[in-house]
Amino acid sequence: MTESHGEPRPGPAGSDGEPVYADRVYRSVPGVISGVLLLAVAAWLIGDAALNGSGRTPWVALAAVPVFAFPVIAYTLRPAVRADERRLVVRNPLRTITAPWAAVDALRAGYSVELLAEGKKYQVWAVPVSLRQRKRAARARERGGQVHTSRLGMVFGAAGTPSGVGVQGSSDPNRAWSDQVVGVLQDMAERNAPRPDAAGPVVVRWCWWIIAPTVAGLIALITVIAV
C-alpha cells in the first residue's frame, strides 16, 4: 500500500496536444508509518536516558541520536519516486537518481523493482514488491473478475484489489501494486522518451545530509564510549 498522485492539471493541453498531468509520486505508506513509530519510540527511550541516566549514559544517549535517527529516516521516510513528463526521479536511502525518459531503458519488477538506464541498474526502494499481493492478484485473475475495494481497504490495504488500492493510470487494477506502478512508469517512459525536453544523462547524487551526520554521530558515540 502506497501513496500516489497523478490527476490531470486543470488548463489546456501541452504543446504536443497531449493532456498535461501533475507529477506522479509513489512511496510506501507502511514504510513511512514504521519510520514514524520507530522515531517516536527512540525519542522516548533516548529522552528518558538523557534526562534520568547517570554517569556517561546521557552523553551516550545523545551521541546515539544521529546514529539511529538518520538511518531510520533514510530507509523509511526518504524513499520516493517522482515522475513527470520529462524525467523520473528515484529517491533511495542514500542516493537520488534522476533519469530523463530518453535515458531509461526499462523498468522491471522481479523480487524488487529495478530501473535500467544507460546500461546501469538501480534499485527502486520506494516501490517494494509483495509476493503475497502477487498471489492474491493471480487468484483474482483466476476468478475472472475485478475485486471491488472498500474504503477501509483503500487505507489499510486489507481488502479489495490485490494491492488494496488501484494505481492512477494502471490498465489492470487486478495486479500487485508494485506491478501496477512499474506498468504506469514504463508507459510514461515509452510515451515521453521522444520529447525534446526528456533527453539528457542520468544524474546520481549522494545524500550527504544523511551520510555526514550519521558518520559524525558514530565517531562521537565511539569517542564517548571509549573515553
Side-chain angles (χ1 to χ4, degrees):
M1 169 45 185
T2 60
E3 172 184 307
S4 61
H5 307 283
E7 296 296 333
R9 293 193 192 111
S15 58
D16 56 1
E18 294 294 326
V20 178
Y21 290 89
D23 291 359
R24 297 179 186 271
V25 181
Y26 305 98
R27 58 165 50 90
S28 171
V29 171
V32 172
I33 293 174
S34 63
V36 171
L37 291 176
L38 283 172
L39 290 174
V41 172
W44 175 59
L45 294 175
I46 292 175
D48 181 68
L51 295 174
N52 302 318
S54 58
R56 290 184 299 177
T57 300
W59 300 107
V60 172
L62 292 175
V65 170
V67 178
F68 180 83
F70 283 98
V72 168
I73 292 171
Y75 285 90
T76 61
L77 305 184
R78 174 177 154 77
V81 173
R82 182 181 296 273
D84 59 23
E85 296 172 318
R86 298 183 297 113
R87 62 188 181 179
L88 175 68
V89 179
V90 177
R91 202 168 67 189
N92 283 340
L94 301 180
R95 297 192 300 176
T96 298
I97 300 98
T98 302
W101 290 120
V104 173
D105 300 322
L107 287 117
R108 63 189 183 191
Y111 290 104
S112 63
V113 174
E114 298 173 339
L115 164 66
L116 306 178
E118 293 185 339
K120 296 183 179 180
K121 180 172 66 176
Y122 305 95
Q123 299 294 321
V124 181
W125 283 75
V127 186
V129 171
S130 170
L131 298 181
R132 182 180 180 183
Q133 286 182 7
R134 283 182 175 169
K135 291 179 180 179
R136 193 184 305 169
R139 289 196 298 268
R141 283 194 296 269
E142 288 174 359
R143 290 194 296 267
Q146 179 175 341
V147 184
H148 296 287
T149 305
S150 68
R151 186 179 296 262
L152 185 65
M154 290 285 286
V155 176
F156 294 102
T161 58
S163 63
V165 61
V167 174
Q168 175 73 25
S170 174
S171 60
D172 183 4
N174 270 341
R175 289 189 295 170
W177 179 81
S178 58
D179 296 330
Q180 291 186 57
V181 171
V182 168
V184 170
L185 294 178
Q186 185 65 47
D187 288 344
M188 292 183 69
E190 294 171 359
R191 183 173 64 250
N192 293 313
R195 295 174 59 96
D197 57 355
V202 175
V203 177
V204 179
R205 292 188 175 90
W206 289 95
C207 184
W208 292 109
W209 71 266
I210 291 284
I211 298 172
T214 302
V215 173
L218 183 60
I219 294 173
L221 180 61
I222 293 173
T223 301
V224 170
I225 294 175
V227 171

